[in-house]
Amino acid sequence: MIAILKHGTTPDQTSHLVEWLKTMNLDVHISQGQEVTILGLIGDTSRVDMELLNSLEIVETVKRVSEPFKQANRKFHPKDSVIEAGGSKIGGGYFGLIAGPCSVESEEQIIQVAQAVKEAGANFLRGGAFKPRTSPYAFQGMGGEGIKLLLKAKEATGLPIVTELMNINTLDLFNDVDVIQVGARNMQNFDLLKELGKTKKPILLKRGLANTLQELLMSAEYIMSEGNENVILCERGIRTFETYTRNTLDLSAVPVLHELSHLPVVIDPSHATGKSRLVASMAYASAACGADGLMIEVHNDPEHALCDGAQSLTPSQFAEVSRKVQQLREVMV
Amino acid sequence: MIAILKHGTTPDQTSHLVEWLKTMNLDVHISQGQEVTILGLIGDTSRVDMELLNSLEIVETVKRVSEPFKQANRKFHPKDSVIEAGGSKIGGGYFGLIAGPCSVESEEQIIQVAQAVKEAGANFLRGGAFKPRTSPYAFQGMGGEGIKLLLKAKEATGLPIVTELMNINTLDLFNDVDVIQVGARNMQNFDLLKELGKTKKPILLKRGLANTLQELLMSAEYIMSEGNENVILCERGIRTFETYTRNTLDLSAVPVLHELSHLPVVIDPSHATGKSRLVASMAYASAACGADGLMIEVHNDPEHALCDGAQSLTPSQFAEVSRKVQQLREVMV
Amino acid sequence: MIAILKHGTTPDQTSHLVEWLKTMNLDVHISQGQEVTILGLIGDTSRVDMELLNSLEIVETVKRVSEPFKQANRKFHPKDSVIEAGGSKIGGGYFGLIAGPCSVESEEQIIQVAQAVKEAGANFLRGGAFKPRTSPYAFQGMGGEGIKLLLKAKEATGLPIVTELMNINTLDLFNDVDVIQVGARNMQNFDLLKELGKTKKPILLKRGLANTLQELLMSAEYIMSEGNENVILCERGIRTFETYTRNTLDLSAVPVLHELSHLPVVIDPSHATGKSRLVASMAYASAACGADGLMIEVHNDPEHALCDGAQSLTPSQFAEVSRKVQQLREVMV
Amino acid sequence: MIAILKHGTTPDQTSHLVEWLKTMNLDVHISQGQEVTILGLIGDTSRVDMELLNSLEIVETVKRVSEPFKQANRKFHPKDSVIEAGGSKIGGGYFGLIAGPCSVESEEQIIQVAQAVKEAGANFLRGGAFKPRTSPYAFQGMGGEGIKLLLKAKEATGLPIVTELMNINTLDLFNDVDVIQVGARNMQNFDLLKELGKTKKPILLKRGLANTLQELLMSAEYIMSEGNENVILCERGIRTFETYTRNTLDLSAVPVLHELSHLPVVIDPSHATGKSRLVASMAYASAACGADGLMIEVHNDPEHALCDGAQSLTPSQFAEVSRKVQQLREVMV
């Protein structure tokens, strides 16, 4: 870590700061320039509060030379991670096609969708049992009952299950779930991340609405630092001023995360755009820029024929997306 | 709630949608215009998923006529709420001046700061025991031990205590805490909010980094819908493209929240700006636009003389802020 | 246009508003509902100031039923526009591959790059002569001299030229330029747009840093309303909180703009990402989601071998991008 | 300027870069550390393209030690600038209270408003003659005719005039205007800024929708570098995700701009909030945090009694704001 001190910093102030840094078990290498003084901090700087340091009156700027994440860092783990769950794989050349309904509603529904998406090429089944809802008065999902229905669909199709956990106290219900999803709103629920780090379950970690890619990797680090290396990163759109789409899908996250980390990167075009008619093109773009997987909402409810503008695809639309994604991936090999 | 259907919607599609809406126990009043069809939804629309409705192919737009929050809504509770905690009050003309260090570090530190801020006019003591940190390797606060020290400072000064809870499983440690803070990153940790709603503790609810004011009120509603009406709202800066300040303080939150809700609104200029030299002017602005309180970081550590550029004020700077805030409030009466 | 009036609006207020709307030559159709009153405004509502209307105390919400842009609107022009310039075409199945250096620096440089990109498959040459620079002290481009060099490169290679105009008073210098670029910072320089609307030149209109897609289409409308229908839209990244990339490339702009408008859509991954190592993957994503063209920075300066982290590709990197884009486009047919 | 090179940069690459920097007339001081190499660039670094340098593969980070703006910089001009126009002053303790209608509509209207705001304490009259409008079909203002009416109001009241110029080719019409306004959308219309720099007219420069404070100061620098030092900075709200207010007023701009620059800072709460009922509280906040002036929309049209929710205040509301602003300023002395 490098700290550049302001022009005009007195020797006293400098030595004061150096003493303080040394109390954190850092070696400090001082380089006195004409305009500025530069401190090189050597040692385990991951414990240094960069924001605090940066805010000191005498500090011009602070720059990490090494990233603050270690276990998630490609520098220390150059090979792509392959995450295995329930017989399917994501990362390092394996493509995870995760599909299913927004919410689990009934046994019939979830089994029908599971069969349809499996036939179309999906290798994971998604479905919401616990639903994070902005309003306390909205339907909050079927809860534990929903997980049981997902497991029946798994039994019927062999597809491993991906579903969201919102509260660590419900962890027992997820024993047979294959991938636990952490939603965007919980990306910085650090206590939850630490607890999930103590399990060995694959975790699908969604980027928060307004979180940087580095913050996403730091949240992955929370899980990994507790011993669980099975983390899948998921970009699902960020909050911007544009209102035509629900969120703005940040596809540059794919090459950037691949550069910084060995963890697989999955894209969720359904939540990002909020409109089913935009899902296919964003799925194709994701495949072309090297994403390791896609998470797509598919419904089978004939009632929903009415709402084909919503974010879910029909099974036949999904089959078409699956087919073209496969073709695009062949070009990109 | 009003739903406007697109030009070209067939009668079949309309009646299909109307049937579906009626399954949610809503009365639907249809007004067939020349260009569009308008549905008036009457009944408890707080359960309607507005986003889903909006995303339907045949729907042009959806608009709530009534806000989705009820208990937090000024319409149903015109008088300002006054929140009482440990003998101090916030809201309805009572100003909450909450001050203290970023983190509790030692008994001596917290008692000294407590005495200093009390003398300067503070009526609440803040201090972090559990600290949300982006990095798993950074200091995470003293935890339960920190709360004990805060309680000693309360004993010494009589100041009620405000401190953050990050994990509902630590609730027992907060029995003697006067106001429980929910941090910005947990503003949409809905399970946490519900659990806090089951207590009677005053909750200081911070706005998330990228959450709208309506979302903040919906999170307050989560707490209130479980029976706890003691919610204090806190604006602490939002995330924007500007990088000179840590966040962008959105002071229009004060009149907007006062218009929409009866709950008190507190401003945290320390976290919003991230720079101590900007805290005073933002505190004055807050007082002038009608905030019900301020939450300000104050340190007493002579070591920190070095870092008076950080976000904490010295006790004497705080005393000056307190004095001028008082004068400004007198003008605004 | 639909205006919904608030519950509690008096008949007097309503009739007052209706009178005012009629002075704008609108027919007003009133529908009195139980909860609200709805006004249907019929006639040329493109002149109505929606923001003003929306801000009236008695107005709950205003919604356009028809988009405020007409000439750019796909509804009135269902077929894709094909823009022709100097023998090359963009839109309606024709792919515009626009490549060249950030700035024109010398005759040798621009001709060498032009030859290299032509060989690699480009069908347009770009190069900056007038450069918008944040600092008045930075190099502002070669100006008119730069345009002359671009025209020499055109002579040498046959490639049509795309270059930016910043000041309408320099229009004469652009007589032989094939496509005039309007930069992001001038997207809402309405007087400039109107003047360009009076020419017949193809205009490449870049989206502003923080402008919505609808605002981009309204700026296209400024050009088209003066009689120039040759507008090419360009997404080049928007400003968000993420700092790893220079801007955030919003690729959903491609399907959204295609849905709303018949104009071709070009992506500039070089400016969007600011990093050459991210350009290829974003170019592939653009091709896969249906963009009508790409605008890519290519340099030939061996000095720049040093800076292959900058936003420009080398000619051989560009050739590889061109080849794969072609393959991806074949899949997407 | 400091450039930190990445670990692993070869001596060849370093010397290559140093040679290139020297071609820009910079002295380069090399400091070879254990982890990194640091280059200190000495000389006129305002011409260096920081973004280009930053994007080089071998560069870890670049940091200006001196700000890129000079004439606007408080370091070189510690005393507050006082801008004088038509007998009124702004800055250095003088408060500019600029009020008037959104658009000039008629002689009667503008004179009536001018008299009303003068009586209430305004010392400048504002009014739009050329109006930047998102839609080419919307009313674009009265143009030159509007300026003539403003001058009649000036004659009648003695109030100096502030009005917006959108096109440098209309400059002649502004000969008797006292302060020329540059709107948010033209903040980076660099050619316009340079031309205004050649006049001696006071310029009120509005911050762009998504521009940083440093970019605002660089735009001021464009004007000043041509010889016109009479620049007034204006914060008018920035674009964020929040939709309740039209823009998000960034009041921390006041202390930040005062820290960085000697130029006066004016706040426009009318455009920032878009709602008249929020204008007063944001005006009070502005006064309390040290703004040098306010720009407030006031209408006198009885027709508009209807729309007191719009962004304009009535004359009597304005008089109340003026009175309290005065009181708050007395506290802050």
Side-chain angles (χ1 to χ4, degrees):
Chain A
M1 189 180 274
I2 299 291
I4 302 176
L5 305 190
K6 284 193 182 153
H7 188 69
T9 302
T10 66
D12 249 33
Q13 288 175 307
T14 304
S15 65
H16 213 120
L17 177 60
V18 169
E19 285 319 304
W20 181 60
L21 291 166
K22 283 183 176 168
T23 65
M24 295 186 232
N25 286 321
L26 297 171
D27 275 349
V28 183
H29 171 262
I30 307 179
S31 154
Q32 185 69 51
Q34 215 170 330
E35 288 184 275
V36 292
T37 301
I38 293 154
L39 306 183
L41 314 187
I42 296 156
D44 184 1
T45 59
S46 62
R47 278 164 226 274
V48 177
D49 184 344
M50 197 169 150
E51 209 165 65
L52 173 62
L53 198 53
N54 212 352
S55 69
L56 301 190
E57 191 66 40
I58 61 172
V59 172
E60 178 70 42
T61 194
V62 179
K63 182 75 189 175
R64 286 194 185 279
V65 177
S66 51
E67 288 90 5
F69 47 96
K70 298 170 174 180
Q71 312 241 27
N73 200 323
R74 191 178 280 278
K75 275 186 194 153
F76 311 123
H77 186 310
K79 239 182 100 184
D80 286 348
S81 280
V82 179
I83 310 294
E84 237 186 301
S88 291
K89 292 177 181 173
I90 297 184
Y94 295 96
F95 196 77
L97 191 52
I98 307 166
C102 181
S103 297
V104 180
E105 289 167 22
S106 70
E107 182 171 340
E108 194 194 356
Q109 171 234 24
I110 191 66
I111 290 181
Q112 278 188 12
V113 177
Q115 286 167 334
V117 300
K118 187 185 181 183
E119 202 171 319
N123 51 3
F124 287 90
L125 175 66
R126 58 148 289 157
F130 293 95
K131 301 293 299 174
R133 304 302 301 272
T134 307
S135 166
Y137 308 119
F139 176 57
Q140 314 261 327
M142 295 182 75
E145 201 50 45
I147 293 184
K148 283 184 198 156
L149 299 183
L150 281 166
L151 294 175
K152 286 196 180 168
K154 178 184 177 179
E155 211 176 280
T157 60
L159 287 179
I161 300 300
V162 182
T163 196
E164 180 166 353
L165 177 147
M166 288 174 62
N167 183 336
I168 198 62
N169 296 335
T170 64
L171 184 59
D172 281 354
L173 299 170
F174 289 73
N175 281 338
D176 298 321
V177 165
D178 301 283
V179 179
I180 296 178
Q181 178 178 319
V182 175
R185 291 174 182 79
N186 274 320
M187 193 202 92
Q188 293 195 318
N189 182 342
F190 301 122
D191 279 54
L192 178 67
L193 300 177
K194 276 191 274 190
E195 292 301 321
L196 292 174
K198 291 171 188 159
T199 73
K200 289 292 172 208
K201 284 278 182 216
I203 308 297
L204 187 133
L205 178 65
K206 291 197 148 189
R207 181 183 186 182
L209 276 122
N211 286 109
T212 64
L213 296 172
Q214 178 164 312
E215 286 169 343
L216 174 60
L217 289 168
M218 290 309 292
S219 286
E221 192 77 12
Y222 257 99
I223 298 168
M224 299 174 85
S225 68
E226 297 287 337
N228 184 353
E229 301 193 334
N230 299 305
V231 179
I232 302 161
L233 306 170
C234 181
E235 156 68 25
R236 42 73 78 203
I238 57 173
R239 193 164 261 191
T240 70
F241 60 85
E242 176 63 65
T243 55
Y244 195 88
T245 45
R246 187 193 299 158
N247 297 291
T248 297
L249 182 61
D250 177 12
L251 275 182
S252 52
V254 176
V256 170
L257 290 173
H258 279 168
E259 182 177 307
L260 297 173
S261 177
H262 51 89
L263 298 173
V265 180
V266 161
I267 301 293
D268 178 346
S270 301
H271 278 85
T273 62
K275 296 189 168 161
S276 71
R277 61 189 189 275
L278 303 176
V279 169
S281 55
M282 289 303 98
Y284 302 149
S286 304
C289 70
D292 300 294
L294 282 163
M295 189 160 189
I296 293 181
E297 281 195 15
V298 178
H299 68 78
N300 77 327
D301 188 350
E303 283 307 302
H304 280 86
L306 182 70
C307 39
D308 67 350
Q311 73 193 26
S312 295
L313 299 184
T314 62
S316 71
Q317 289 171 328
F318 175 69
E320 169 71 4
V321 167
S322 172
R323 196 179 59 77
K324 276 214 174 156
V325 160
Q326 180 53 27
Q327 286 180 284
L328 290 166
R329 281 177 41 76
E330 278 159 21
V331 170
M332 298 312 299
V333 169
Chain B
M1 188 179 274
I2 300 290
I4 301 177
L5 305 190
K6 284 191 182 155
H7 188 68
T9 302
T10 66
D12 249 34
Q13 287 176 308
T14 304
S15 65
H16 213 119
L17 177 59
V18 169
E19 286 319 306
W20 181 61
L21 291 166
K22 285 183 174 168
T23 65
M24 295 184 232
N25 286 323
L26 297 170
D27 275 349
V28 183
H29 171 263
I30 307 180
S31 154
Q32 186 68 48
Q34 215 170 330
E35 288 184 273
V36 292
T37 301
I38 293 155
L39 307 183
L41 313 188
I42 297 155
D44 183 1
T45 59
S46 62
R47 278 162 225 276
V48 177
D49 184 344
M50 197 168 151
E51 208 165 65
L52 173 62
L53 198 55
N54 212 353
S55 69
L56 300 190
E57 192 65 40
I58 60 172
V59 172
E60 180 68 42
T61 195
V62 180
K63 182 75 189 172
R64 286 193 186 278
V65 177
S66 51
E67 288 90 5
F69 45 96
K70 298 171 175 179
Q71 313 241 25
N73 201 325
R74 190 178 281 278
K75 274 186 195 152
F76 311 124
H77 186 309
K79 239 182 100 184
D80 287 347
S81 280
V82 178
I83 310 294
E84 236 186 301
S88 291
K89 292 177 182 175
I90 297 184
Y94 295 95
F95 197 76
L97 191 52
I98 308 167
C102 181
S103 297
V104 180
E105 289 167 24
S106 70
E107 183 171 339
E108 193 195 355
Q109 171 235 21
I110 191 67
I111 290 181
Q112 279 188 10
V113 176
Q115 287 167 332
V117 300
K118 187 184 181 184
E119 200 172 319
N123 50 2
F124 287 90
L125 175 67
R126 57 148 290 156
F130 293 95
K131 300 293 299 173
R133 304 302 301 269
T134 308
S135 166
Y137 308 119
F139 175 58
Q140 314 262 326
M142 294 182 77
E145 201 50 46
I147 293 183
K148 283 185 199 154
L149 299 183
L150 281 165
L151 294 174
K152 286 195 179 169
K154 177 183 176 178
E155 214 176 277
T157 60
L159 287 178
I161 299 300
V162 183
T163 195
E164 180 166 353
L165 176 147
M166 288 174 62
N167 184 335
I168 197 63
N169 296 334
T170 64
L171 184 57
D172 282 354
L173 300 171
F174 289 73
N175 281 338
D176 297 322
V177 164
D178 300 283
V179 179
I180 296 179
Q181 177 177 321
V182 174
R185 291 174 183 80
N186 274 321
M187 191 201 94
Q188 293 195 319
N189 182 341
F190 301 121
D191 279 55
L192 178 66
L193 300 176
K194 275 190 277 190
E195 292 302 321
L196 292 174
K198 291 170 190 159
T199 73
K200 290 291 171 206
K201 285 273 182 221
I203 307 296
L204 186 132
L205 178 65
K206 291 197 147 188
R207 181 182 185 182
L209 274 122
N211 286 109
T212 63
L213 295 172
Q214 179 164 311
E215 286 169 344
L216 173 59
L217 289 169
M218 289 309 292
S219 287
E221 192 77 12
Y222 257 99
I223 298 168
M224 298 174 86
S225 69
E226 298 287 336
N228 183 352
E229 302 194 333
N230 299 305
V231 180
I232 301 161
L233 305 170
C234 181
E235 156 68 24
R236 41 76 77 204
I238 57 174
R239 194 165 259 192
T240 70
F241 60 85
E242 176 62 67
T243 55
Y244 195 89
T245 44
R246 188 194 297 157
N247 297 291
T248 297
L249 182 62
D250 177 12
L251 274 183
S252 52
V254 176
V256 170
L257 290 172
H258 278 167
E259 181 177 308
L260 297 173
S261 178
H262 52 89
L263 298 173
V265 181
V266 162
I267 300 294
D268 178 346
S270 301
H271 278 85
T273 62
K275 297 186 169 161
S276 70
R277 61 188 188 275
L278 304 176
V279 168
S281 53
M282 289 303 99
Y284 302 149
S286 304
C289 71
D292 301 292
L294 282 163
M295 189 161 190
I296 294 182
E297 282 195 15
V298 177
H299 68 77
N300 76 325
D301 188 351
E303 283 307 302
H304 281 86
L306 182 70
C307 40
D308 67 350
Q311 72 192 24
S312 294
L313 299 185
T314 61
S316 71
Q317 289 171 329
F318 174 70
E320 168 71 4
V321 168
S322 172
R323 196 179 59 77
K324 276 215 174 155
V325 160
Q326 181 52 27
Q327 285 180 283
L328 290 166
R329 281 177 43 73
E330 279 159 21
V331 171
M332 297 313 298
V333 169
Chain C
M1 189 180 276
I2 300 289
I4 301 177
L5 305 190
K6 284 192 184 154
H7 188 69
T9 302
T10 67
D12 249 35
Q13 288 176 307
T14 305
S15 66
H16 214 120
L17 177 60
V18 169
E19 286 319 304
W20 181 60
L21 290 166
K22 284 183 174 167
T23 64
M24 294 184 232
N25 286 322
L26 296 171
D27 274 348
V28 184
H29 171 264
I30 306 180
S31 154
Q32 185 69 48
Q34 214 170 331
E35 288 184 274
V36 292
T37 301
I38 293 154
L39 306 183
L41 314 188
I42 296 155
D44 184 1
T45 59
S46 61
R47 278 163 227 275
V48 177
D49 184 345
M50 197 168 149
E51 209 165 64
L52 172 63
L53 198 54
N54 213 353
S55 69
L56 301 190
E57 191 66 39
I58 62 172
V59 172
E60 178 69 42
T61 195
V62 180
K63 181 76 190 175
R64 286 194 184 278
V65 178
S66 51
E67 288 90 4
F69 46 98
K70 298 172 174 177
Q71 312 240 26
N73 200 324
R74 189 178 281 277
K75 275 188 194 150
F76 310 124
H77 186 311
K79 240 182 99 185
D80 287 348
S81 280
V82 178
I83 311 294
E84 236 186 302
S88 289
K89 292 177 181 173
I90 296 185
Y94 295 96
F95 197 78
L97 191 52
I98 307 167
C102 181
S103 297
V104 180
E105 289 167 22
S106 70
E107 182 170 342
E108 195 195 355
Q109 172 235 24
I110 191 66
I111 290 182
Q112 277 188 13
V113 176
Q115 286 167 334
V117 300
K118 186 185 182 185
E119 201 171 318
N123 52 2
F124 287 89
L125 176 66
R126 56 148 290 156
F130 293 94
K131 301 293 299 174
R133 305 301 302 270
T134 307
S135 166
Y137 308 118
F139 175 58
Q140 314 261 325
M142 295 182 75
E145 201 50 45
I147 292 184
K148 283 185 197 155
L149 299 184
L150 280 166
L151 294 174
K152 286 196 180 170
K154 178 183 177 178
E155 212 175 279
T157 59
L159 287 179
I161 299 301
V162 183
T163 195
E164 180 166 352
L165 176 146
M166 288 174 62
N167 184 335
I168 198 63
N169 296 335
T170 64
L171 185 59
D172 281 354
L173 300 171
F174 289 73
N175 281 338
D176 298 320
V177 165
D178 301 283
V179 179
I180 295 178
Q181 178 178 319
V182 175
R185 291 174 183 79
N186 275 320
M187 192 201 93
Q188 292 195 319
N189 182 340
F190 300 122
D191 279 55
L192 178 67
L193 301 177
K194 275 191 276 191
E195 291 302 321
L196 293 174
K198 291 171 189 158
T199 74
K200 289 291 172 209
K201 284 275 182 219
I203 308 296
L204 187 133
L205 178 64
K206 290 197 149 190
R207 181 183 185 182
L209 276 120
N211 287 109
T212 63
L213 295 172
Q214 179 164 312
E215 286 169 343
L216 173 60
L217 289 169
M218 289 310 292
S219 287
E221 192 77 13
Y222 257 99
I223 298 168
M224 299 174 86
S225 69
E226 297 287 336
N228 184 353
E229 300 194 337
N230 299 306
V231 179
I232 302 161
L233 305 170
C234 181
E235 157 68 25
R236 41 75 77 204
I238 56 174
R239 193 163 262 192
T240 69
F241 60 85
E242 176 62 66
T243 55
Y244 194 90
T245 45
R246 187 192 299 159
N247 297 292
T248 296
L249 183 61
D250 176 11
L251 274 181
S252 52
V254 176
V256 170
L257 290 172
H258 279 168
E259 183 177 307
L260 297 174
S261 177
H262 51 89
L263 298 173
V265 181
V266 162
I267 301 293
D268 178 346
S270 301
H271 277 85
T273 62
K275 297 188 169 161
S276 71
R277 61 189 189 276
L278 304 177
V279 169
S281 54
M282 289 303 99
Y284 302 149
S286 304
C289 72
D292 300 292
L294 282 162
M295 189 160 190
I296 293 180
E297 282 195 14
V298 178
H299 69 77
N300 77 326
D301 187 351
E303 283 307 302
H304 280 86
L306 182 69
C307 40
D308 67 350
Q311 73 192 25
S312 294
L313 299 185
T314 62
S316 71
Q317 289 171 329
F318 175 69
E320 169 71 4
V321 168
S322 172
R323 196 178 59 77
K324 276 214 174 155
V325 161
Q326 181 52 28
Q327 286 180 283
L328 290 166
R329 282 179 39 77
E330 279 159 20
V331 170
M332 297 313 298
V333 168
Chain D
M1 188 180 276
I2 300 289
I4 301 177
L5 305 189
K6 283 190 184 155
H7 188 69
T9 302
T10 66
D12 250 35
Q13 288 175 307
T14 305
S15 65
H16 213 119
L17 177 60
V18 168
E19 286 319 306
W20 181 60
L21 290 166
K22 285 183 174 167
T23 65
M24 293 185 233
N25 286 324
L26 297 171
D27 275 348
V28 183
H29 171 264
I30 307 180
S31 153
Q32 185 70 49
Q34 215 171 327
E35 288 185 273
V36 293
T37 301
I38 294 154
L39 307 182
L41 314 188
I42 297 155
D44 183 1
T45 60
S46 62
R47 278 163 226 275
V48 177
D49 184 343
M50 197 169 150
E51 208 166 65
L52 173 62
L53 198 54
N54 212 352
S55 69
L56 301 190
E57 192 66 40
I58 62 172
V59 172
E60 180 69 42
T61 195
V62 180
K63 182 75 190 175
R64 287 192 185 280
V65 177
S66 50
E67 288 90 5
F69 45 96
K70 298 171 174 179
Q71 312 240 26
N73 201 325
R74 190 177 281 278
K75 276 188 194 151
F76 310 124
H77 186 311
K79 239 182 100 184
D80 286 348
S81 280
V82 178
I83 310 293
E84 236 187 299
S88 291
K89 292 177 182 176
I90 297 185
Y94 294 96
F95 197 77
L97 190 51
I98 307 167
C102 182
S103 298
V104 180
E105 289 167 23
S106 70
E107 182 171 340
E108 194 194 356
Q109 170 234 22
I110 191 66
I111 289 181
Q112 278 188 11
V113 177
Q115 287 167 332
V117 300
K118 187 184 182 185
E119 199 170 321
N123 51 1
F124 288 91
L125 175 67
R126 57 148 291 158
F130 294 94
K131 299 294 298 173
R133 304 301 301 268
T134 308
S135 166
Y137 308 118
F139 175 59
Q140 314 263 326
M142 295 182 77
E145 201 49 45
I147 292 183
K148 283 185 200 155
L149 299 183
L150 281 165
L151 294 174
K152 286 196 179 169
K154 178 183 175 178
E155 214 175 276
T157 59
L159 287 180
I161 299 300
V162 183
T163 195
E164 180 166 352
L165 177 147
M166 288 175 62
N167 183 337
I168 197 62
N169 297 334
T170 63
L171 185 57
D172 281 354
L173 299 171
F174 290 73
N175 281 338
D176 297 321
V177 165
D178 301 282
V179 179
I180 296 179
Q181 177 176 320
V182 175
R185 292 174 183 80
N186 275 322
M187 192 202 92
Q188 293 196 317
N189 182 342
F190 301 122
D191 279 55
L192 178 66
L193 300 177
K194 276 190 275 190
E195 292 302 321
L196 292 175
K198 291 171 189 158
T199 73
K200 291 289 172 212
K201 284 274 182 221
I203 308 297
L204 186 132
L205 178 65
K206 290 197 148 190
R207 181 182 185 182
L209 274 123
N211 286 109
T212 63
L213 296 172
Q214 179 164 311
E215 286 169 344
L216 173 60
L217 289 169
M218 290 309 293
S219 287
E221 191 77 12
Y222 257 99
I223 297 167
M224 298 174 86
S225 68
E226 298 286 336
N228 183 353
E229 301 193 335
N230 299 306
V231 180
I232 301 161
L233 305 170
C234 181
E235 157 68 25
R236 42 75 76 203
I238 57 173
R239 194 164 260 192
T240 69
F241 60 86
E242 176 63 67
T243 55
Y244 195 89
T245 44
R246 188 194 296 159
N247 297 291
T248 297
L249 182 62
D250 177 12
L251 275 183
S252 52
V254 176
V256 170
L257 290 173
H258 278 168
E259 181 177 308
L260 297 174
S261 177
H262 51 89
L263 298 173
V265 180
V266 161
I267 300 294
D268 177 347
S270 301
H271 277 85
T273 63
K275 296 186 168 163
S276 70
R277 61 188 187 276
L278 303 176
V279 169
S281 53
M282 289 302 99
Y284 302 149
S286 304
C289 71
D292 300 293
L294 282 163
M295 188 160 191
I296 292 181
E297 282 195 14
V298 178
H299 69 77
N300 77 325
D301 188 350
E303 284 306 304
H304 281 84
L306 183 69
C307 40
D308 67 350
Q311 71 192 25
S312 294
L313 299 185
T314 61
S316 71
Q317 289 171 327
F318 174 70
E320 168 71 4
V321 168
S322 172
R323 196 179 59 76
K324 275 215 174 156
V325 160
Q326 181 52 27
Q327 287 180 282
L328 290 166
R329 281 177 42 75
E330 279 159 21
V331 171
M332 297 312 299
V333 169

